[in-house]
């Protein structure tokens, strides 16, 4: 639900096809967290679903974001074979590499479907800040998500009226 909410709100404050200077990719962090906590199938389904959701609300090439977030999932899966996703250093490395791959795939696909694509210094520097910033914030958010999961709530079999 958090991923869908983020996807819907991100379109409000970002222009289509642009990268703002502090564009942190929370969907990649959520995909990595789901991969770590729930497994490959749930993380892959989340990545594909978020990609489809972005495709529905974007005016771009249909299937582009589904493909991008599936490539993010594949990068997380392959990265987890070489780095430990349970450590902060591994989380930083895997998410940074996944976002780097996502940006490279994005530029390659745009170059293939567009006749006039221009690479500007501002786009490349904003991408670099996004890649590094998202990688560095990943362990903090993973820790936050773990703490939110550990908040005691009502038990699964207990009706809400019996809690009081």
């Amino acid at each position: 639900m958090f991923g869908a909410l983020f996807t819907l709100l991100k379109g409000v404050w970002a222009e289509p096809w642009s990268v703002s200077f502090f564009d942190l990719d929370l969907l990649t962090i959520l995909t990595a967290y789901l991969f770590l906590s729930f497994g490959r199938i749930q993380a892959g389904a989340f990545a594909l679903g978020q990609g489809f959701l972005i495709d529905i609300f974007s005016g771009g090439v249909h299937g582009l974001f589904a493909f991008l977030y599936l490539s993010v999932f594949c990068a997380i899966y392959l990265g987890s074979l070489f780095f430990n996703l349970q450590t902060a250093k591994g989380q930083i490395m895997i998410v940074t590499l996944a976002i780097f791959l996502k940006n490279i795939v994005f530029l390659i696909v745009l170059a293939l479907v567009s006749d006039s694509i221009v690479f500007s210094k501002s786009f490349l520097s904003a991408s670099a800040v996004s890649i590094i910033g998202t990688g560095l914030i990943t362990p903090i958010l993973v820790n936050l998500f773990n703490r939110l999961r550990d908040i005691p709530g009502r038990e699964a079999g207990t009706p809400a009226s019996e809690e009081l």
Side-chain angles (χ1 to χ4, degrees), residues 8 12 26 44 99 117-118 141:
L8 293 174
V12 172
L26 295 179
I99 296 173
I117 186 166
V118 177
L141 290 179

Side-chain angles (χ1 to χ4, degrees), residues 19-21 118-130:
V19 175
S20 64
F21 200 69
V118 177
F119 299 104
S120 66
K121 272 188 176 180
S122 63
F123 175 78
L124 294 177
S125 63
S127 292
V129 168
S130 172

Side-chain angles (χ1 to χ4, degrees), residues 3-43:
L5 181 65
F6 175 74
T7 299
L8 293 174
L9 290 177
K10 187 173 182 178
V12 172
W13 67 74
E15 296 176 29
W17 301 105
S18 69
V19 175
S20 64
F21 200 69
F22 294 108
D23 185 24
L24 301 178
D25 194 348
L26 295 179
L27 294 179
T28 300
I29 296 172
L30 281 171
T31 303
Y33 177 73
L34 290 173
F35 185 88
L36 176 64
S37 299
F38 298 102
R40 295 181 301 210
I41 294 172
Q42 288 83 353

